[in-house]
Amino acid sequence: MYAGKIPPAMLKKIVFSSLGPASSLVKVGPGVGEDAAVLQIDDSYHVVASDPVTGAKKNIGHIAVHVNANDVAVTGADPQFFMPTILLKSSVGEEGLRDIVGQIGKACKEVGATVVGGHTEFVSSIDMTIIAGTMFGYTSRYIPTSGACPGDAIVLTKGAALEGTSILASEREDELAGVLTTHELSIAKGFSSLISVVPEARLIRSYVTSMHDPTEGGIAGALNEMAEASGYGFDVDPAAIPVPDVTKKLCRHFECDPLKLISSGALIATVPPAHVNAVHDVLAGAHIEHAFIGSIVESGRTLDMPEHDALWDILD
Amino acid sequence: MYAGKIPPAMLKKIVFSSLGPASSLVKVGPGVGEDAAVLQIDDSYHVVASDPVTGAKKNIGHIAVHVNANDVAVTGADPQFFMPTILLKSSVGEEGLRDIVGQIGKACKEVGATVVGGHTEFVSSIDMTIIAGTMFGYTSRYIPTSGACPGDAIVLTKGAALEGTSILASEREDELAGVLTTHELSIAKGFSSLISVVPEARLIRSYVTSMHDPTEGGIAGALNEMAEASGYGFDVDPAAIPVPDVTKKLCRHFECDPLKLISSGALIATVPPAHVNAVHDVLAGAHIEHAFIGSIVESGRTLDMPEHDALWDILD
């Protein structure tokens, strides 16, 4: 068995069949491409997302907050409250724990979320510290991944594979010494500071029909998940997808496709034609790089769904 | 470093200092002995608990649901929604996953909760499948662990170390073959079916000042956590705490104290004198065994806080 998220077919066949009693309060439940659950509580919607960090050795507190904050933000809510379950490998001492919770506190401040509880324990059966996080927030309007409509333009912020680039630059630093210059290596590692999509999601959420945070499976995986969730297809020109130069070099070395490499930090959103100018204006006004890469169509997909993330082929 | 929950001193010194921005919506936040966070959303309270299962090889789906449901129930809310993060060791195949999610669906049905999302992935750096769960629910009145008052009677349901007994009977079955009879071994393993305290919490929640679910550190740990949370002490006679015969035998063999062994399945609650009869009546009416084991006092504790759970000394 490989590492990483289980494939959609297995998820649908095995996991989605054991969900306990149905509840009419659930507006968005488990589904391929839905990053967060949405529950209707009185007049507001409660948005909850759970995502673990298992593939990184460094910055895991930082990553745990941001990937969960992203999942809440793409559903149209502000990330307000965070619950981390921190599973420490036994060699992590007080200093290691202090570093991790320091990162969590700092990242929570960045996105405006409060740590409201959680769990911290040492686990003897793991070789790597793992954080399983849950983020939640409340909103009067939510945006499901399934909301994409034919004719919508697809906008992408920042660029492909920022997260994968920073993970590989950290984990394979020695190997990359001859491939990237010291300066490029430091740029690549620094991409970890760009993984939040909370700012851009807040800016464009009133204009879009759906937003999605490409994590495992990269941009190609995220586009396919959006198509799966909405029941439509997409027409995207791969050449129109911005890939940072340093990412191109790194991917050439590892012989991997940057469009299939884990990509937190980019936000993909679908925009009705009437709002395309407004979305461009607010993103440009906030100096957030972005590109319109294609559109939602009735059927067909111009990029394949990766079987699993390119990261696992390299790290395993 | 040992395995298990980190000690309260480390929690207070390191973890509680990095919680991001404060929020006035947080009614119960991180604290020793507080099993769940409570947030005020409009006119209702939102109760959230996160707890992982890391010490058991069998029934982990079942345990994951119930320990999290317990944490929500002791705060006075019904467990309504569940989000599991399932981290599979690579040798778990489709059948193993099907078994785990089947347990989750069944346990959710037992407590009345719906699975609303989550995450499932294969992780190469773990030797044991881990589930990090988050359960939440809503209530118009919440009961913090800190609510215990001097003069309150302390009631305990079922008995000590049910969970530890069932874990050890499963994990050390061969070793116990000469210590317990086949019938006793099957009783011990069967205690895993008793770990839910949701039924008794629902029955007594309108009469009590606080409820607590003794997990790691057992009954002794839970009483100390209640004292810590409320700022008062407790006067409990250890001999008054019910311990099943099979648990006594098993603990004699492993030379461990049943009052310091992981104890999900027992509910500890503090009851104002005026409500003692009512609590006895509703529990007896539902055929739930229980004992009044002592009372909350201004200061002093008649049982020490265990440094860590007795389970880890045996399993490690």
Side-chain angles (χ1 to χ4, degrees):
Chain A
M1 221 24 123
Y2 51 82
K5 274 201 304 195
I6 68 168
M10 202 167 170
L11 202 58
K12 284 192 273 192
K13 191 173 90 179
I14 300 178
V15 180
F16 292 172
S17 57
S18 289
L19 303 178
S23 164
S24 61
L25 302 176
V26 180
K27 299 303 161 191
V28 178
V32 171
E34 294 297 354
D35 296 308
V38 179
L39 308 162
Q40 183 163 15
I41 307 301
D42 302 327
D43 294 332
S44 68
Y45 296 103
H46 173 196
V47 178
V48 195
S50 285
D51 229 357
V53 179
T54 56
K57 286 200 187 92
K58 291 169 188 165
N59 301 319
I60 64 169
H62 168 86
I63 297 171
V65 172
H66 285 300
V67 294
N68 280 287
N70 285 352
D71 285 345
V72 169
V74 297
T75 310
D78 287 325
Q80 290 172 266
F81 303 108
F82 188 56
M83 301 269 283
T85 292
I86 306 173
L87 304 173
L88 302 158
K89 65 173 178 175
S90 18
S91 62
V92 173
E94 270 199 32
E95 274 318 300
L97 176 60
R98 196 188 301 276
D99 177 41
I100 290 168
V101 298
Q103 291 174 32
I104 290 176
K106 184 165 171 282
C108 276
K109 205 171 160 191
E110 286 163 9
V111 298
T114 304
V115 178
V116 292
H119 184 98
T120 308
E121 76 172 60
F122 288 95
V123 181
S124 52
S125 57
I126 59 178
D127 301 329
M128 205 184 224
T129 293
I130 290 172
I131 301 179
T134 298
M135 182 73 81
F136 41 105
Y138 303 83
T139 180
S140 57
R141 173 180 176 250
Y142 69 93
I143 306 165
T145 309
S146 62
C149 289
D152 287 349
I154 302 173
V155 69
L156 179 134
T157 68
K158 301 190 195 106
L162 297 173
E163 184 181 11
T165 302
S166 92
I167 293 175
L168 289 170
S170 292
E171 305 281 324
R172 290 288 185 273
E173 185 162 358
D174 293 344
E175 179 180 345
L176 288 169
V179 180
L180 302 180
T181 66
T182 314
H183 180 62
E184 286 170 336
L185 202 54
S186 112
I187 290 175
K189 287 198 281 185
F191 283 170
S192 67
S193 66
L194 303 176
I195 63 169
S196 180
V197 299
V198 175
E200 53 256 56
R202 276 196 187 117
L203 286 171
I204 67 173
R205 65 188 174 194
S206 58
Y207 302 109
V208 302
T209 52
S210 74
M211 296 193 280
H212 197 38
D213 166 37
T215 56
E216 279 191 51
I219 307 296
L223 287 166
N224 277 280
E225 286 173 355
M226 283 188 112
E228 176 79 28
S230 66
Y232 296 116
F234 59 86
D235 180 9
V236 158
D237 175 10
I241 299 172
V243 181
D245 288 341
V246 59
T247 300
K248 282 182 190 156
K249 267 183 141 174
L250 180 144
C251 286
R252 253 197 314 270
H253 170 73
F254 289 116
E255 297 179 358
C256 75
D257 183 347
L259 303 187
K260 295 180 179 174
L261 186 58
I262 187 165
S263 285
S264 295
L267 174 68
I268 294 181
T270 53
V271 189
H275 291 159
V276 164
N277 287 341
V279 164
H280 168 72
D281 289 348
V282 293
L283 291 174
H287 304 288
I288 295 170
E289 285 184 48
H290 58 283
F292 287 90
I293 61 172
S295 59
I296 298 294
V297 295
E298 285 290 345
S299 65
R301 306 177 186 184
T302 54
L303 279 166
D304 289 338
M305 181 76 182
E307 274 195 32
H308 59 274
D309 198 274
L311 186 71
W312 306 118
D313 296 327
I314 303 166
L315 288 186
D316 271 359
Chain B
M1 218 28 121
Y2 50 82
K5 273 204 301 195
I6 69 168
M10 202 167 171
L11 202 57
K12 283 192 273 191
K13 193 173 89 181
I14 302 179
V15 179
F16 292 172
S17 57
S18 290
L19 304 178
S23 165
S24 61
L25 301 177
V26 180
K27 299 303 160 190
V28 178
V32 171
E34 294 297 352
D35 296 308
V38 179
L39 308 162
Q40 184 164 15
I41 306 303
D42 303 324
D43 294 332
S44 68
Y45 296 103
H46 173 193
V47 177
V48 195
S50 284
D51 229 357
V53 179
T54 57
K57 286 201 188 91
K58 292 171 187 161
N59 299 322
I60 63 169
H62 168 85
I63 297 170
V65 172
H66 285 299
V67 295
N68 280 287
N70 285 352
D71 286 346
V72 168
V74 297
T75 311
D78 287 324
Q80 291 173 266
F81 302 108
F82 188 57
M83 300 267 286
T85 292
I86 306 173
L87 304 173
L88 303 159
K89 67 173 178 175
S90 18
S91 61
V92 173
E94 268 197 35
E95 274 318 300
L97 175 60
R98 194 187 302 274
D99 178 40
I100 289 168
V101 299
Q103 290 174 33
I104 291 176
K106 183 165 173 283
C108 276
K109 203 171 162 194
E110 286 163 10
V111 299
T114 305
V115 178
V116 292
H119 184 98
T120 307
E121 77 173 58
F122 288 94
V123 181
S124 51
S125 57
I126 60 178
D127 301 330
M128 205 184 223
T129 293
I130 290 172
I131 301 179
T134 298
M135 182 73 82
F136 42 105
Y138 302 83
T139 179
S140 57
R141 174 181 176 250
Y142 69 94
I143 306 166
T145 309
S146 63
C149 290
D152 286 350
I154 301 173
V155 69
L156 181 136
T157 68
K158 302 191 194 108
L162 297 173
E163 184 181 11
T165 302
S166 91
I167 292 174
L168 289 170
S170 291
E171 305 283 323
R172 291 288 186 271
E173 185 162 357
D174 292 346
E175 179 181 348
L176 288 168
V179 179
L180 302 179
T181 65
T182 314
H183 181 60
E184 286 170 335
L185 202 55
S186 112
I187 290 175
K189 288 198 280 183
F191 283 171
S192 66
S193 66
L194 304 176
I195 63 168
S196 179
V197 298
V198 174
E200 52 258 57
R202 275 196 187 120
L203 286 171
I204 68 173
R205 65 187 175 195
S206 58
Y207 302 109
V208 302
T209 53
S210 74
M211 296 193 280
H212 196 39
D213 166 38
T215 56
E216 279 192 50
I219 307 296
L223 287 166
N224 276 280
E225 287 174 354
M226 282 188 113
E228 175 81 27
S230 65
Y232 297 115
F234 60 84
D235 180 9
V236 158
D237 175 10
I241 299 172
V243 181
D245 288 339
V246 59
T247 300
K248 283 183 188 155
K249 267 184 142 173
L250 180 145
C251 286
R252 256 198 311 273
H253 170 74
F254 289 116
E255 296 180 357
C256 76
D257 183 347
L259 303 188
K260 296 180 178 174
L261 186 58
I262 188 165
S263 284
S264 296
L267 174 67
I268 294 181
T270 55
V271 190
H275 291 157
V276 164
N277 287 340
V279 165
H280 167 73
D281 288 349
V282 293
L283 290 175
H287 304 287
I288 295 170
E289 284 184 49
H290 59 284
F292 287 89
I293 61 172
S295 59
I296 298 294
V297 295
E298 285 291 343
S299 65
R301 305 178 186 184
T302 54
L303 278 166
D304 290 338
M305 180 77 182
E307 276 195 31
H308 59 273
D309 198 275
L311 186 71
W312 306 119
D313 296 327
I314 303 166
L315 287 187
D316 270 359

